[in-house]
Amino acid sequence: MPRNTPTLTLEEAEAILAGAKAKVLEMGVNMSISVVDPRGDLITMMRTDGASWRTPPISRAKAVAASCFGRASGELTENALAPVFRGLMAMEGGHMIPGQGALPVFRDGVLVGAVGGSGGTAQEDEDASRAGIEGAGFSATP
């Protein structure tokens, strides 16, 4: 990623993660949360005690989809079988999932990353992501 590309700092990503974790604990769900940069590279993540082994890569893959398109990953599900999506998913080595649970992160209208959850229902995953984003003072829309 070029040096001048806007992205979340580690401190900002950790603040998002803290807000998402608080929501996860409030809901009483065992899950993982991943925070990625605009390219989809992992900045930070967490897995609660008792969350399935598969939740970390799924939370990241949902976040990759949200960061790649700058949209909620759930909005991408109807296009998941389109050739361009299949190509992107293959190009990412299966590390992109266009399923509900992740949201893009915008700072002053600029995409700076994304947050994805896995382990709860699709709505719980998205709710935890939104709580982290909003709790840290960012937006999930431009």
Side-chain angles (χ1 to χ4, degrees):
M1 185 163 38
R3 294 185 90 164
N4 60 354
T5 301
T7 187
L8 293 165
T9 65
L10 177 59
E11 184 177 348
E12 290 168 334
E14 288 174 336
I16 290 170
L17 191 64
K21 179 182 175 185
K23 182 67 174 178
V24 167
L25 295 175
E26 174 189 309
M27 293 187 297
V29 180
N30 295 326
M31 60 190 298
S32 292
I33 301 290
S34 293
V35 182
V36 302
D37 68 16
R39 197 177 96 160
D41 292 329
L42 185 66
I43 300 173
T44 188
M45 70 89 50
M46 67 102 191
R47 185 179 108 191
T48 62
D49 295 338
S52 171
W53 62 270
R54 68 184 178 274
T55 60
I58 293 172
S59 68
R60 177 175 175 248
K62 288 180 185 181
V64 168
S67 67
C68 183
F69 291 95
R71 297 173 50 195
S73 59
E75 293 177 12
L76 306 171
T77 57
E78 65 186 48
N79 298 317
L81 297 179
V84 73
F85 272 85
R86 289 195 324 257
L88 284 170
M89 287 186 281
M91 188 174 74
E92 286 295 317
H95 299 289
M96 183 172 77
I97 298 175
Q100 184 181 4
L103 297 168
V105 179
F106 292 92
R107 179 195 304 122
D108 301 323
V110 176
L111 179 70
V112 292
V115 183
S118 176
T121 65
Q123 189 62 56
E124 288 170 332
D125 294 347
E126 186 173 304
D127 290 346
S129 297
R130 184 176 310 283
I133 293 166
E134 293 176 355
F138 294 96
S139 175
T141 57

